[in-house]
Amino acid sequence: MSDYRTGDPIADTKAPAVALENRWDERKFAAKLVNPANRRKHRVIVVGTGLAGGSAGATLAEQGYHVVQFCFQDSPRRAHSVAAQGGINAAKNYRNDGDSVYRLFYDTVKGGDFRSRESNVYRLAQVSAQIIDQAVAQGVPFAREYGGLLDTRSFGGVQVQRTFYARGQTGQQLLIGAYQALSRQIDAGNVELHPRTEMLDLVVVDGRARGIVARDLVTGAIETHLADAVVLATGGYGNVFYLSTNAKGSNATAIWRAHKRGAYFANPCFTQIHPTCIPRSGEHQSKLTLMSESLRNDGRIWVPKRKGDTRPPAEIPEDERDYYLERLYPSFGNLVPRDIASRAAKNVCDAGLGVGPGGLGVYLDFADAIERMGRPAIEARYGNLFDMYQRITAEDPYRTPMRIYPAIHYTMGGLWVDYDLQSTIPGLFVIGEANFSDHGANRLGASALMQGLADGYFVLPATLNDYLGGTRLDEVSPGHDEVTRVETEVRDRISRLLSVRGTRSVDSFHRELGLLMWDHCGMSRSREGLRKALDRIPELRAEFWRDVRIPGAAAELNQELEKANRVADFLELAELLLIDALAREESCGGHFREEHQTPDGEAQRDDEHFSYVAAWEYGEKPVLHREDLTFEHVHPTQRSYT
Amino acid sequence: MKLTVRIWRQAGPATEGRLVSYPVDDVSPDMSFLEMLDVLNQELIAHGEEPVAFDHDCREGICGSCGVVINGQVHGPERTTSCQLHMRSFADGDVVDVEPWRAKGFPVIKDLVVDRSALDRIVQAGGYVSAPTGSAPDAHATPVPKPDADLAFDNATCIGCGACVAACPNGSATLFTAAKVTHLSLLPQGQPERARRVLDMVDTMDAEGFGGCTNTGECVAACPKGIPFASIASLNREFRKASRTGRG
C-alpha cells in the first residue's frame, strides 16, 4: 500500500521565458502597478517579523499599503533571525577576487546539489548587492577596514570572500535594521502591529487568501483579521526535531494550517544539519546552540587517529591526529559545505573516533591560528563566540579545542511558491525560510539572511503589486460563512486540546517525536528506519490527543496551550516529512539515503529520476505533484570539493 | 544538586502576587537557569499544578526575551542573560529567589512575564534612519572610520532585554535609549535626523513612565551586553545640543 498518491505535474509559470539575466527585469516590467492613491485602500497581512517579514512589512508600508503585522514574540525585534551569527553573502566583488552575480548564482545552485530553480537563484544573486546598500543606508554597523570600507570573509562551499558580517551578530544587526524601518512605519500609522499574537488558521474565500484567525496570547481572545492578501514569513520547522538550533518558539503552525487549506508543501525532507554546534550535555537539554560556521575559516577540525583515545587534546601529538576534512577534501579543507562537513563528522564519530561525552563530538582547534595571528586577532574576529562557548561548556576555547557536533539548523523545504513567491492559494505569499525556494537540497552559509531580505525588501513588494493590481477583490464581511466556519474550527480545536486532561506533558510528546525523527530521519536515512518512524507516528499522535495534559484555561496567557497547539502540528508535519524522505530514492544535499551512496560513501544523486521539486497537496493521503527542474546554465555534475 | 526556588506567582496584572517555594531535585550544573525552570514546570504539570510562566525564546543570549531577577540581581549572579546563566553558579542546598523585572514601565502580565512594549515605542519615536527601500547609494559610497563603526557596533549590540530598567533604582530606560541614540548618531547615515531623534526618544521615554537617570550605574553593571556607561554621557550631550538647536 502506497503512502501517497501521484497527481498532475506542477510548474512555475511566472518566470518569463527570456535570457536568465533579464528575467527579473522583464517580470518587474510586466507586473501590474497599483496607483499610489489606491494603495492605501489595500490591507495586507504580514505574519512574522524576522528578516523576511520585517523587511516586507516596512517596504510595503513605504509603498503606501496598509500593513497589518503579527508576531508571537513580545516585540518584532526578537524574531529568530536575530540569532544568525556569521554573515550575509553579496556579489559585490569588493575584494576583486573574481566574484560576480554569475558566480554567486553558480555556487548556490551547485551548493544546493542541483535541486533549486535557476531563475530564482539568479535573481537572488542579482538582488544581493542591493541588500548590502540598503542595510548600510539604515545604519547597520557592518565590520569595516581601517580605510572605512566594508570588510568581508569567506564561508563554507565557496572560494571567494563575499560574506559581509557584523562580528558574530550579523543576523541581529540586520534584523534591527529591518525592525527600525518597520518601527518608523508603525509610528507613521502605516503598520498596525500585533505582538504576542499567533496565527492559527488561514481564511480562504472564493479560492483566495483573505485573512487569518489568530489568538491573542495574553488574553486568549480568538480574532479574525481580513485583508486583500496574506504574506507568511514565519520561518522554518526545524523544531519538529525538538532539539535544534531554532528558538524555542519557532513553529510550523502558520504554514502547516495554510497547507491544510490548500497550499502545497514542497520538499519537506530537505533539512539542513549544521556541522558546528555545541554538543548536548545531558537529558535536560532544551535546545542546541550553534557556533558560527565562520569559525571554520581559522579553526582546524580533527579527531584522534586511535579509537578510544581519551588523552586531553593537547597531549595528542600532531601525527596522531586526523585532520579529516583537510585529508578528504584538500582544495576546500575545513571550508567544505555544511552537508559534507556534517556527514564527515558523523562518519568519524560512528567509527568510534569521536571525542567528549558519548563520543559525539570532534575538535575545532584554534591553536595554529592563535600561534600564527596572536590571540588579540582571534579575539577581534571571534571573541563573542568564544565567550559564548566558554559560558555554555565551562571550557576555555583559547586553551583547549572546542568540541562540536552537527545539529538540525535550517529547513530548505517549505510552502511551494512560484517565481512571484505566491503559493498555490492565490493571494497567499510565502517568503524567507517559510517557503521552499532558492536553496535546493542544501543551503550555503550566509545565504539565509540574503534570501530573507531579498524576498522582503525587493521581490515580494514587486510581485504583490501585480497581484493586487490585477485582481478584483470584493469586500469580505466579518460575518461571512467561511470566516465563521474557520473561527469555529479554531475554537473547537482549542477546546478539544484543553478537554483531554490526560497524564503526559506536551514536552514529553515533543521530545519523543524529536528523538524518533533524529534517529530515523536525521543525518542519514534508510528505508527501514523511515518505515519504523512512519509506523510509530500515528500511534504517538493518537496518544497525544488521548493523553496530553494542558493545565490552565483558554482565556489567559497559557504557554502550555501554545506549545500543545504547535506540537499537534509537528505530529502531522513529521509524517509528511517521512513520506517525502521515503519517496526520494536518492541522496542529495542534506538528504542522505543509506541505500544511495557512491563506493567511497559520498551522496549519490539520481538526476534522471529525481531532478524535481516534490510539491505535496494535503489530503486523506498526500498527493505528490512534481515540478521538473531544468538546468540550462549550471549543468548537474557530481559535486566535488576535493 | 538540590535547590529550593522561591518564585513570584501572579495570576494576572490585577491580582496580587507572592513568592511560592518549590523544591527542585536533580539539578545538573550543566543546565541553564531556564532549563532548571523547565524541570520544575514538568514537575508542576505532573502534579496537576500550573507551570510558571516566563519569557524565553532563542536561549542563546541574543533575542532578549528572557529576564528574571535572581536573588535580587537582574539575570542573576553573572553578567549574562538568564538563558546563558548555568546552574554551576549555584551550590547544593541553595535557596534561590526568582522575581520578574520590576519597574513602572514594565507592568507584570503573569508570573515572571512582563510587558516591555514601551521600549518598542521609544524606538518608534525616532530610533531609525529614514532610508526607504530602493533608495540606497552603493555601500562603499559612505566610508565610516573604523573606530566610529566599532563604537556604533558596541552600542548596537543592545538586545532590549530591559535589564537596565529593572536594575535601576529609578526604573529608568536611559541606558537603552542611550545605546540607540549613540549607535545612530555616530554614523554618517544618522546625521540628518540626529536632533529630532534624541528629543523625540527622550520625550517618549519620559511619557512611558520610566524614571530619570541619576548616574547610579546599576544599569551598566547589569547589562549582559556591556553597553558602555559613556553612552549615557553621550545621550546627555546629544540631548543638550539638540535642545538648543531644536528638532532641526
Side-chain angles (χ1 to χ4, degrees), chain A residues 152-203:
Chain A
T152 53
R153 58 188 175 193
S154 52
F155 254 63
V158 297
Q159 290 169 308
V160 293
Q161 284 194 39
R162 66 160 72 100
T163 305
F164 295 78
Y165 67 103
R167 286 186 210 158
Q169 302 161 29
T170 317
Q172 183 203 20
Q173 293 309 314
L174 289 167
L175 180 68
I176 287 183
Y179 156 78
Q180 288 175 176
L182 187 67
S183 297
R184 174 173 165 242
Q185 295 303 320
I186 294 169
D187 192 45
N190 303 328
V191 173
E192 174 189 322
L193 177 72
H194 297 266
R196 289 198 198 267
T197 306
E198 184 161 48
M199 164 172 168
L200 294 183
D201 218 326
L202 180 74
V203 177

Side-chain angles (χ1 to χ4, degrees), chain A residues 55 58-59 62 72-80 82-83 85 92 94 130 132-134 136-142 144-150 164 166-169 172-173 176 179-181 183-184 186-187 193 196 218 242 245-250 281 284-290 388 390-394 457-458 503-505 507-508 549 551-553 556-560 563, chain B residues 11 28 30-32 35 38-39 41-42 44-60 62-65 78-80 84-86 88 109-110 113-117 119-121 123-147 149-154 156-161 176 180 183-184 187 189 193:
Chain A
S55 58
T59 306
E62 283 162 15
F72 70 77
Q73 297 93 345
D74 70 324
S75 163
R77 62 171 291 145
R78 307 208 200 279
H80 192 52
V82 82
Q85 297 168 352
K92 280 283 199 186
Y94 280 165
Q130 255 181 299
I132 301 301
D133 299 340
Q134 177 62 28
V136 167
Q138 291 169 342
V140 170
F142 283 118
R144 288 185 184 258
E145 312 256 15
Y146 278 99
L149 301 179
L150 296 163
F164 295 78
R167 286 186 210 158
Q169 302 161 29
Q172 183 203 20
Q173 293 309 314
I176 287 183
Y179 156 78
Q180 288 175 176
S183 297
R184 174 173 165 242
I186 294 169
D187 192 45
L193 177 72
R196 289 198 198 267
V218 176
Y242 189 75
T245 64
N246 286 272
K248 293 290 287 175
S250 299
S281 66
H284 58 263
Q285 194 91 35
S286 62
K287 75 157 308 239
L288 295 167
T289 301
L290 185 81
M388 194 166 88
Q390 178 157 20
R391 179 154 287 293
I392 292 173
T393 62
Y457 281 132
F458 298 106
T503 62
R504 275 185 72 178
S505 71
D507 278 11
S508 77
R549 170 179 287 187
E556 60 174 351
L557 179 80
N558 186 337
Q559 294 174 325
E560 286 300 306
K563 283 194 277 184
Chain B
S28 145
D30 290 328
M31 280 178 184
S32 71
E35 283 168 344
D38 289 343
V39 170
N41 274 346
Q42 291 298 307
L44 292 176
I45 294 166
H47 289 98
E49 290 178 53
E50 276 212 43
V52 179
F54 63 96
D55 264 324
H56 65 97
D57 202 14
C58 80
R59 296 199 173 188
E60 293 182 22
I62 193 74
C63 76
S65 295
E78 293 185 33
R79 191 160 154 171
T80 186
Q84 293 296 297
L85 175 70
H86 287 76
R88 62 179 82 95
I109 295 175
K110 184 178 182 179
V113 177
V114 300
D115 179 358
R116 286 167 292 187
S117 55
L119 296 184
D120 287 320
R121 290 188 290 275
V123 173
Q124 285 156 19
Y128 46 75
V129 172
S130 297
T133 310
S135 61
D138 185 273
H140 270 183
T142 320
V144 181
K146 185 167 162 56
D150 285 351
L151 189 55
F153 189 98
D154 290 342
T157 56
C158 167
I159 55 173
C161 63
F176 170 82
K180 292 279 146 198
H183 161 206
L184 295 173
L187 298 172
Q189 295 85 345
E193 294 165 297

Side-chain angles (χ1 to χ4, degrees), chain A residues 16 18-31 123 126 419:
Chain A
V18 296
L20 184 65
E21 56 274 23
N22 298 331
R23 281 178 202 164
W24 180 228
D25 286 340
E26 179 69 26
R27 178 70 193 108
K28 278 191 290 184
F29 182 73
R123 173 175 67 189
Q126 261 178 317
Y419 189 65

Side-chain angles (χ1 to χ4, degrees), chain A residues 50-338:
Chain A
L51 287 177
S55 58
T59 306
L60 293 170
E62 283 162 15
Q63 288 189 347
Y65 292 112
H66 184 76
V67 175
V68 190
Q69 189 122 15
F70 297 84
C71 64
F72 70 77
Q73 297 93 345
D74 70 324
S75 163
R77 62 171 291 145
R78 307 208 200 279
H80 192 52
S81 306
V82 82
Q85 297 168 352
I88 175 167
N89 285 333
K92 280 283 199 186
N93 196 29
Y94 280 165
R95 291 271 170 182
N96 194 28
D97 56 4
D99 201 11
S100 63
V101 168
Y102 200 85
R103 190 176 298 277
L104 175 51
F105 155 71
Y106 179 92
D107 286 345
T108 307
V109 173
K110 178 188 165 198
D113 221 353
F114 308 96
R115 291 293 173 266
S116 48
R117 276 188 206 136
E118 283 191 337
S119 303
N120 286 56
V121 178
Y122 192 86
R123 173 175 67 189
L124 178 66
Q126 261 178 317
V127 168
S128 67
Q130 255 181 299
I131 297 171
I132 301 301
D133 299 340
Q134 177 62 28
V136 167
Q138 291 169 342
V140 170
F142 283 118
R144 288 185 184 258
E145 312 256 15
Y146 278 99
L149 301 179
L150 296 163
D151 193 9
T152 53
R153 58 188 175 193
S154 52
F155 254 63
V158 297
Q159 290 169 308
V160 293
Q161 284 194 39
R162 66 160 72 100
T163 305
F164 295 78
Y165 67 103
R167 286 186 210 158
Q169 302 161 29
T170 317
Q172 183 203 20
Q173 293 309 314
L174 289 167
L175 180 68
I176 287 183
Y179 156 78
Q180 288 175 176
L182 187 67
S183 297
R184 174 173 165 242
Q185 295 303 320
I186 294 169
D187 192 45
N190 303 328
V191 173
E192 174 189 322
L193 177 72
H194 297 266
R196 289 198 198 267
T197 306
E198 184 161 48
M199 164 172 168
L200 294 183
D201 218 326
L202 180 74
V203 177
V204 181
V205 178
D206 299 330
R208 294 182 184 278
R210 295 305 301 272
I212 65 168
V213 176
R215 179 167 179 268
D216 180 321
L217 300 180
V218 176
T219 64
I222 303 293
E223 298 158 351
T224 300
H225 301 268
L226 297 169
D228 298 323
V230 176
V231 181
L232 300 186
T234 51
Y237 50 88
N239 272 345
V240 69
F241 291 85
Y242 189 75
L243 281 187
S244 85
T245 64
N246 286 272
K248 293 290 287 175
S250 299
N251 65 87
T253 290
I255 55 170
W256 186 251
R257 308 239 170 130
H259 173 59
K260 291 174 88 167
R261 297 278 170 204
Y264 291 2
F265 205 120
N267 296 339
C269 78
F270 285 171
T271 34
Q272 176 162 75
I273 318 274
H274 198 291
T276 56
C277 183
I278 300 177
R280 64 188 279 241
S281 66
E283 289 297 316
H284 58 263
Q285 194 91 35
S286 62
K287 75 157 308 239
L288 295 167
T289 301
L290 185 81
M291 299 305 291
S292 166
E293 188 182 15
S294 64
L295 292 169
R296 291 197 277 144
N297 269 308
D298 291 303
R300 299 180 69 197
I301 292 175
W302 63 276
V303 290
K305 279 186 182 163
R306 185 163 55 81
K307 248 190 222 183
D309 191 338
T310 52
R311 286 176 291 176
E315 287 173 23
I316 301 178
E318 203 60 25
D319 61 349
E320 291 179 43
R321 301 174 173 189
D322 181 11
Y323 294 91
Y324 57 90
L325 289 178
E326 297 169 37
R327 173 170 58 82
L328 293 166
Y329 308 100
S331 52
F332 280 75
N334 294 298
L335 282 174
V336 291
R338 293 177 175 178

